[in-house]
Amino acid sequence: MTYQGSLGLEEKVVSPATKDLIESSGFNNRSSDNMDDSLTSLHWLQEFSILSDSGRQQVISTSQHQSKHFEQQLGVEAPASPLAGDFASIGMPLTPGKPRATAVPALCTLPSLVAHGHCPDEVDYKTNPHIKPLYSYATLICMAIQASKKSKVTLSCIYKWITDNFCYFRHADPNWQNSIRHNLSLNKCFIKVPRQKDEPGKGGFWKIDPEYAEHLLTGAYKKQRMPPVQINPALKNQLRMISQPVIPAPTDVTDFLHVGPESQQLLEEFEEVTGLDQNSDPHLAETTLSDCWSAVKGSKGKQPYGHWAGSAQALCRSSSPLLAMEEPKVLGSLMGNFDWDALLNSALNDDLSLNECGPVSPIPQDQNLIVHGIHVNSLEASVNTTESNMLIKTQKVHDVDLDKETFLELLQSPCTEEDFVCMSTVNINQLFDLGVSLSDDIDSKIESHL
DNA sequence: AAGTGTTTAAAGTTCT
DNA sequence: AGAACTTTAAACACTT
């Protein structure tokens, strides 16, 4: 699954509309810089779902399911640990002291990695004392906390994890520890948990703050530093078509979209030019659709700092590499707490009248489906129909009586690992952008639900 | 004394 | 150019 190189527009005969669609999507002319979406600072955190369960926080990267997906495609056994997938995808050891011995080679074929010129997986940070990790300190801290599998960790644990996993810091000037402390204190994403009086030891504990989820819901934090929304007319038309009622139980993307002949041709041309066969791979079908949305937003800007090299993010972001292109500066550190997929999909499904064939719809046992824009394995879907939190969530969000508080709880409620398998990841930018670009009636309808 | 935590400041990078 | 953000450095206070 690579999106490298030119799509060869000059060699294909395509309609102007298709060409516009492709060009606006950035499919054809994405520079290495574009692809080099960084996981700046805590932007990658938005890929996390911080789940609160009776005071216990669990940080699970949604990239897990992405990694799983990739590894399943590659025939590689998916990591058992939620961390594993995430860290593996970015070339990180799975757990302190247990470095991943081998990288997933195919991951390096992702454009974001290739374009950057090196694949982080090629760098063995654990043994290479010369190369400073591309990760920001905040990122390292989050990694350490996440890797600890505890809700809170001590500063020394963070130090230890970093030095255990990054040889560079074992030999570097200890001033980096000052930077770590500085980050912990300054970054709002980190909460200090004072040590109990009867608890021996120095200093307190640190954890990742799940509270920022609320700020997101209240709209206090909006994406920043994003280019103005520019909607390609062709895409706009497609999106409008999405909003039309669709036939129940779609089994492929065209059913899902309920496109007319004209758009069907447009879609086929787009697929042809992009080399995506949506019929043969529902996941790619979803990717294309997501990509279009991403493109609609206008994806030209570089990512700040670029030291994430886009590796993890490209994998974390939904099913689409293109979706990894844009991240907010502020939101990135704040938005980690939600199942934005559920939110987005629920909102969209509802407003786009796609819930007619919702999660409780019978699903053919022998097919993988695109349901609510989510790639759902039919077997899982069948099982999850009655039990999955995700599906329950989806239904709940559809509930007209849903109030804001319930909605918040819903979003923060624990999800099973299986949930993430069924979820694609959508960043909050897309959520907000879609709220704008998909026309005002969507907003009004969402508001009516809240 | 050593570790921990907070705060301030400056410099650099990236984006609008 | 200015804003936003990260990194680095330093000073200081507090705790063990």
Side-chain angles (χ1 to χ4, degrees), chain A residues 210-443:
Chain A
E211 297 259 331
Y212 284 96
E214 298 203 27
H215 295 283
L216 290 172
L217 263 195
T218 60
Y221 298 91
K222 265 266 189 177
K223 69 183 180 63
Q224 296 181 1
R225 309 180 72 176
M226 294 283 289
V229 176
Q230 294 176 354
I231 303 179
N232 181 294
L235 283 172
K236 215 168 185 176
N237 289 336
Q238 282 202 346
L239 291 172
R240 285 217 177 92
M241 298 193 69
I242 296 173
S243 67
Q244 300 301 315
V246 297
I247 60 176
T251 56
D252 64 29
V253 69
T254 51
D255 288 341
F256 180 79
L257 289 175
H258 188 55
V259 295
E262 196 172 321
S263 294
Q264 177 66 51
Q265 182 189 350
L266 188 70
L267 187 60
E268 285 173 359
E269 287 182 3
F270 182 74
E271 290 171 15
E272 184 184 355
V273 169
T274 58
L276 295 176
D277 182 353
Q278 301 189 1
N279 289 325
S280 65
D281 189 339
H283 183 266
L284 288 184
E286 176 200 358
T287 296
T288 304
L289 189 60
S290 301
D291 289 350
C292 290
W293 275 337
S294 183
V296 164
K297 302 188 316 159
S299 308
K300 290 183 178 179
K302 282 186 181 179
Q303 286 302 308
Y305 298 96
H307 40 238
W308 264 90
S311 55
Q313 206 164 24
L315 297 175
C316 296
R317 188 79 63 253
S318 183
S319 57
S320 162
L322 293 184
L323 291 183
M325 294 173 66
E326 297 293 344
E327 296 297 340
K329 298 291 277 186
V330 173
L331 272 183
S333 61
L334 307 176
M335 63 176 62
N337 304 23
F338 289 125
D339 170 13
W340 292 107
D341 271 357
L343 175 60
L344 175 62
N345 284 314
S346 299
L348 289 178
N349 292 338
D350 197 38
D351 288 289
L352 301 180
S353 303
L354 297 177
N355 57 336
E356 307 298 329
C357 53
V360 293
S361 300
I363 299 168
Q365 293 286 324
D366 57 343
Q367 295 181 32
N368 288 347
L369 310 176
I370 296 294
V371 177
H372 290 198
I374 301 169
H375 179 223
V376 181
N377 177 284
S378 60
L379 188 58
E380 292 168 347
S382 300
V383 172
N384 288 341
T385 298
T386 55
E387 296 178 1
S388 164
N389 282 344
M390 182 199 75
L391 298 179
I392 292 171
K393 280 181 183 179
T394 305
Q395 272 198 298
K396 280 185 179 177
V397 174
H398 285 294
D399 192 337
V400 178
D401 295 325
L402 183 65
D403 59 273
K404 189 174 179 180
E405 193 174 341
T406 306
F407 187 38
L408 183 61
E409 290 176 6
L410 178 64
L411 291 171
Q412 293 182 301
S413 65
C415 277
T416 64
E417 186 173 322
E418 287 72 25
D419 292 339
F420 289 96
V421 176
C422 301
M423 292 179 188
S424 60
T425 305
V426 172
N427 71 39
I428 189 61
N429 296 334
Q430 293 157 354
L431 184 64
F432 284 126
D433 282 345
L434 283 170
V436 174
S437 61
L438 286 182
S439 82
D440 294 337
D441 58 341
I442 291 181
D443 288 336

Side-chain angles (χ1 to χ4, degrees), chain A residues 93-164:
Chain A
L94 306 185
T95 56
K98 295 183 179 178
R100 185 189 179 86
T102 56
V104 182
L107 297 181
C108 294
T109 65
L110 288 172
S112 59
L113 306 183
V114 173
H116 187 259
H118 83 276
C119 175
D121 285 331
E122 294 170 357
V123 179
D124 188 351
Y125 288 127
K126 190 176 175 68
T127 58
N128 192 329
H130 306 295
I131 301 178
K132 185 177 182 180
L134 297 172
Y135 315 116
S136 70
Y137 286 122
T139 299
L140 292 172
I141 294 168
C142 285
M143 285 177 176
I145 296 175
Q146 188 187 22
S148 75
K149 295 179 179 178
K150 295 174 183 175
S151 59
K152 55 185 184 180
V153 299
T154 61
L155 180 64
S156 60
C157 281
I158 295 172
Y159 289 160
K160 185 177 188 306
W161 186 88
I162 291 174
T163 53
D164 279 351

Side-chain angles (χ1 to χ4, degrees), chain A residues 41-55:
Chain A
S41 72
L42 298 185
H43 296 174
W44 62 282
L45 259 183
Q46 67 188 321
E47 302 308 326
F48 281 156
S49 291
I50 303 175
L51 307 174
S52 180
D53 182 10
S54 301

